Amino acid sequence: MENSILQQLREDYESDPLSKDFVFKNPIEQFEKWFAEAVLANLNEPNAMTLATSNIDYKPSARMVLLKGIDKGSFIFFSNYNSRKGRELLWNPYAALLFFWNQLHRQVRIEGRVTKISAEESDKYFHSRPVGSKLSAFISPQSEVIESRELLEKKLSETEKIFAGKEIPRPDNWGGYKVIPHSIEFWQGRTNRLHDRILFTLINQGEWKLERLAP
Ligand SMILES: Cc1cc2nc3c(=O)[nH]c(=O)nc-3n(C[C@H](O)[C@H](O)[C@H](O)COP(=O)(O)O)c2cc1C
């Protein structure tokens, strides 16, 4: 593709201002407000977020995951604990989350420490999932090289038969993580690239500092 095409793509963001005086003093409340607005705006999968981790050599990697809850100020997602992200989080439990709500010209950056949620909480969510999703979690060695899709499908139908009419147990290597944030930045696109950025940094338990950053 011609670079000139990419360089001509330009969108001007006309949005209401975001200022220190008009945000909640707690970033979780602010996030919940923006999230509710993203839902009201009928955005497709507003809970889709990029999760960035890094490996033992400090090399970063990123992928999408779905936010499945906010609990006591932590952001919850579910995955395979043996996956690449799972292994990276063992080495370095610090991660970043990123939401981009394009139609609202909004971005939220969250950084924090990641821990697993309790087995009971993971069980609760696992058992609320459709059967197909439970079976996939059960049979898929996420992030591993596999020989073919056919083998995966074979494993799926065999496992389906084994569990026909029975409860599918949550695999030990599948469950939830929570990101306990220490910084959250809200970005609102404005005209002429003079965007608004408000950064919340945790200074004490439950106490956040608010600053405006240059766009
Ligand atoms: C919109 C979207 C949502 C996704 N949600 C999840 C999720 O909640 N959990 C998950 O493990 N993978 C999810 N995935 C797949 C991941 O992006 C990724 O392929 C997978 O987790 C393996 O990543 P890893 O090899 O870095 O561990 C999602 C992908 C997309 C595109």
Side-chain angles (χ1 to χ4, degrees):
M1 199 203 314
E2 290 265 331
N3 275 346
S4 60
I5 298 180
L6 292 173
Q7 285 163 14
Q8 276 161 28
L9 290 173
R10 187 161 292 127
E11 178 131 359
D12 202 37
Y13 304 131
E14 272 194 41
S15 312
D16 291 338
L18 179 69
S19 79
K20 278 165 56 175
D21 297 333
F22 291 99
V23 289
F24 283 97
K25 299 297 166 245
N26 182 303
I28 304 299
E29 284 181 71
Q30 183 62 31
F31 180 87
E32 285 174 339
K33 176 178 186 283
W34 272 23
F35 190 78
E37 287 169 3
V39 172
L40 270 180
N42 265 328
L43 302 191
N44 194 20
E45 295 204 294
N47 59 334
M49 56 189 186
T50 302
L51 163 74
T53 55
S54 66
N55 71 7
I56 193 170
D57 300 321
Y58 308 108
K59 291 184 182 131
S61 69
R63 80 288 289 149
M64 300 298 293
V65 291
L66 295 175
L67 178 70
K68 285 291 173 180
I70 300 177
D71 184 37
K72 296 184 201 81
S74 297
F75 295 82
I76 296 177
F77 64 92
F78 290 85
S79 196
N80 184 313
Y81 291 144
N82 298 337
S83 63
R84 176 174 174 186
K85 73 182 88 50
R87 281 179 269 129
E88 294 193 350
L89 285 169
L90 268 184
W91 287 115
N92 176 5
Y94 290 91
L97 298 173
L98 179 80
F99 290 86
F100 174 43
W101 294 314
N102 190 355
Q103 290 86 334
L104 299 175
H105 310 144
R106 285 176 176 175
Q107 166 181 261
V108 182
R109 297 168 64 170
I110 298 168
E111 290 164 28
R113 192 180 161 85
V114 185
T115 62
K116 288 180 185 170
I117 64 172
S118 71
E120 293 71 35
E121 289 168 298
S122 289
D123 281 341
K124 200 167 158 210
Y125 174 69
F126 184 78
H127 293 301
S128 75
R129 302 178 88 211
V131 176
S133 310
K134 287 193 243 188
L135 283 169
S136 297
F138 200 86
I139 60 117
S140 174
Q142 192 177 60
S143 315
E144 280 178 31
V145 175
I146 52 169
E147 222 172 278
S148 68
R149 181 170 179 100
E150 286 66 42
L151 275 184
L152 206 58
E153 284 173 359
K154 194 165 160 256
K155 206 164 149 197
L156 184 69
S157 66
E158 285 167 2
T159 314
E160 212 169 357
K161 281 183 205 126
I162 295 170
F163 287 113
K166 295 191 201 123
E167 181 76 71
I168 303 157
R170 176 179 64 85
D172 288 342
N173 64 343
W174 192 96
Y177 286 104
K178 61 179 171 188
V179 181
I180 307 154
H182 53 72
S183 83
I184 306 188
E185 184 205 313
F186 296 86
W187 182 99
Q188 176 72 69
R190 302 288 308 281
T191 47
N192 300 319
R193 298 286 184 262
L194 219 50
H195 313 302
D196 286 328
R197 299 177 63 185
I198 302 291
L199 173 68
F200 289 77
T201 311
L202 188 66
I203 39 176
N204 265 314
Q205 183 77 20
E207 203 187 322
W208 296 85
K209 178 174 72 176
L210 257 100
E211 291 161 307
R212 174 177 285 273
L213 302 182

